[in-house]
Amino acid sequence: MNKKIVEFVRDIYQTKEFIPLHAPTFVGNELDYVSQTINSTFVSSVGKFVDDFEHKIEKYTETSKAVATVNGTAALHTALYMAGVERGDLVITQALTFVATCNALYHMGAEPIFVDVSKISLGLCPKATEEYLAEHAELREDGCYHKGTNQRIRAVVPMHTFGHPVELDELLDVCMKWQLMLVEDAAESLGSFYKGKHTGTLGEFGAVSFNGNKIITTGGGGMVLCRNERDGKHAKHVTTTAKISHPYEFFHDEAGFNYRLPNLNAALGCAQMEMLPSFLKQKRALAQQYREFFQGSEFTFVSQPQYAQSNYWLNSVICPDSETREVLIKETNTQNVMTRPVWKLMHRLPMFEKAPRGDLSVSKWLETNLVNLPSSPVDLSK
Ligand SMILES: *Cc1c(COP(=O)(O)O)cnc(C)c1O
């Protein structure tokens, strides 16, 4: 079977060379727009591409305000800050995620609570979240508290794993009931929709990443999606050193961040946004090929949840057991076809091993049995 997988992937990408998990594609106006920033000398914090890029994302995601940042982690940090997360707070998230989700919390002085993921979405499970809260939390006059530690539980941060949207309506219900802010880690899910709405726009705030391995890239970059205009203005203000506009004086009314995306990177982003629809089409067609290939085998291809339209950022299969998984990873990588296990669960990392957590059985099953497959956009009509 592993030999067949290698042959299948090589046939898709039409190459005998190394096949990466996800490579960026530059076939549009990338060089033109980036050259414009260099020719004009406006490569840094001033220039039209940052505004253009923000407007493009606002239009595409139908969000009130999008704020460009230097990377996805900075976008997440800003989103959590805007959501009112404070030192000493607890924040519910999934153990099955990229470490950046937890790093952003950690550096704000907050701590994660790890809750299991759903088999349907591979992202934060609303039922497991409700169960955890019912057992460990209580509502007081000013909000939700952890009964065991007496710490404030401030927010819920689901992550749309590999671009598959989590069950947002159910999570919103849980957040409403327990008075928690919903902040979506939509780093992997640009182009993914939940019941017709773009991921990252249902919570109060969302964070997108444009790292080199994401569906579109700005080299490094991110975007904060803000549900309301006023928060959006404030988010822009704090990410740009919170300076009060004045011809020559330096007055800053809040401890801000220097998280502004340079114009150079935004130029790349504008060109990549023009390509997003074609990337999505190609990636969905690729997912369909994988689905058909694995049909009837012992491997289960991970399809989008029924309620969602997924960007299929990373394709994945679930192996029948962990030994099969280890062999698959070894044999494909030996053949220069890159495959990867999912991240080690967050509570296994030294800095998060003491974090409170619920039952994590689905997360553990995915940790040992899931494999990511090469997923770069490719034109299959050729
Ligand atoms: C990529 C990613 C991030 C962080 O994005 P950067 O741009 O690399 O900082 C955060 N969360 C998840 C789940 C990611 O996949």
Side-chain angles (χ1 to χ4, degrees):
M1 183 65 182
N2 294 338
K3 207 173 144 221
K4 271 195 189 161
I5 295 175
V6 168
E7 279 169 15
F8 176 76
V9 176
R10 289 216 171 278
D11 191 43
I12 292 262
Y13 286 100
Q14 293 285 309
T15 175
K16 296 196 165 65
E17 310 282 303
F18 171 75
I19 300 174
L21 209 56
H22 204 291
T25 305
F26 303 124
V27 293
N29 289 317
E30 288 84 359
L31 200 54
D32 178 22
Y33 294 175
V34 171
S35 300
Q36 284 181 36
T37 70
I38 293 169
N39 292 332
S40 70
T41 75
F42 288 108
V43 293
S44 187
S45 52
V46 180
K48 72 172 180 87
F49 284 111
V50 177
D51 289 340
D52 282 0
F53 189 37
E54 288 178 344
H55 293 321
K56 278 190 159 70
I57 293 284
E58 281 159 11
K59 202 164 154 220
Y60 183 78
T61 62
E62 295 184 0
T63 199
S64 313
K65 181 77 189 98
V67 178
T69 57
V70 283
N71 56 52
T73 311
L76 201 55
H77 187 183
T78 307
L80 293 165
Y81 174 85
M82 288 299 303
V85 172
E86 290 174 12
R87 192 168 297 278
D89 283 352
L90 291 168
V91 174
I92 294 179
T93 191
Q94 54 205 65
L96 185 93
T97 186
F98 178 57
V99 69
T101 316
C102 300
N103 284 343
L105 288 171
Y106 181 89
H107 289 295
M108 303 181 75
E111 290 171 65
I113 296 177
F114 297 122
V115 167
D116 210 2
V117 292
S118 145
K119 272 191 174 176
I120 298 167
S121 71
L122 313 188
L124 192 66
C125 174
K127 225 166 151 193
T129 307
E130 170 57 35
E131 279 169 17
Y132 185 89
L133 287 163
E135 192 180 339
H136 298 283
E138 67 182 9
L139 267 181
R140 297 184 194 160
E141 241 167 64
D142 61 336
C144 185
Y145 283 81
H146 193 283
K147 286 191 285 191
T149 69
N150 216 25
Q151 283 164 285
R152 180 80 185 252
I153 307 177
R154 189 77 61 172
V156 175
V157 182
M159 194 279 280
H160 305 291
T161 309
F162 312 141
H164 300 300
V166 301
E167 295 138 276
L168 281 162
D169 280 343
E170 291 79 2
L171 272 176
L172 280 163
D173 285 346
V174 174
C175 287
M176 181 85 90
K177 176 176 166 191
W178 292 95
Q179 296 178 28
L180 299 166
M181 288 291 259
L182 186 72
V183 175
E184 298 174 62
D185 183 343
E188 305 181 353
S189 64
L190 182 70
S192 296
F193 293 81
Y194 173 84
K195 297 184 182 173
K197 293 177 188 152
H198 197 278
T199 50
T201 67
L202 285 95
E204 246 359 82
F205 300 95
V208 179
S209 166
F210 309 114
N211 188 36
N213 63 348
K214 297 301 201 289
I215 187 159
I216 68 161
T217 186
T218 57
M223 197 70 80
V224 191
L225 307 180
C226 307
R227 266 183 78 81
N228 79 63
E229 185 94 33
R230 217 177 45 144
D231 283 336
K233 280 197 178 122
H234 188 189
K236 184 77 188 179
H237 184 63
V238 294
T239 53
T240 52
T241 71
K243 185 180 182 295
I244 300 296
S245 182
H246 190 279
Y248 46 83
E249 273 181 12
F250 292 99
F251 185 75
H252 308 259
D253 64 350
E254 186 174 349
F257 308 106
N258 178 18
Y259 278 173
R260 190 201 312 261
L261 184 74
N263 201 43
L264 186 71
N265 302 79
L268 193 52
C270 286
Q272 288 267 284
M273 267 312 273
E274 294 171 355
M275 300 306 297
L276 180 61
S278 80
F279 290 167
L280 284 167
K281 216 168 132 202
Q282 292 183 0
K283 288 170 75 67
R284 293 181 58 81
L286 171 62
Q288 181 59 25
Q289 292 290 310
Y290 274 128
R291 190 178 298 113
E292 285 167 19
F293 175 81
F294 286 107
Q295 192 95 52
S297 77
E298 55 180 347
F299 300 92
T300 310
F301 179 76
V302 178
S303 284
Q304 66 190 8
Q306 263 178 11
Y307 51 76
Q309 170 99 351
S310 192
N311 68 0
Y312 286 97
W313 171 58
L314 282 189
N315 290 291
S316 53
V317 280
I318 299 169
C319 302
D321 51 67
S322 58
E323 296 84 70
T324 310
R325 202 273 298 261
E326 292 314 311
V327 178
L328 194 166
I329 291 188
K330 228 178 241 147
E331 293 190 358
T332 46
N333 282 287
T334 310
Q335 295 299 313
N336 269 334
V337 169
M338 187 169 167
T339 59
R340 283 287 180 268
V342 70
W343 315 280
K344 268 219 165 25
L345 299 183
M346 289 300 110
H347 72 283
R348 302 194 199 286
L349 306 184
M351 56 288 192
F352 304 122
E353 64 188 8
K354 291 200 177 69
R357 56 182 179 267
D359 171 73
L360 298 175
S361 34
V362 178
S363 309
K364 287 174 183 166
W365 168 67
L366 294 169
E367 183 188 37
T368 53
N369 289 23
L370 187 139
V371 176
N372 285 131
L373 302 162
S375 302
S376 309
V378 56
D379 187 356
L380 294 169
S381 64
K382 274 189 191 152

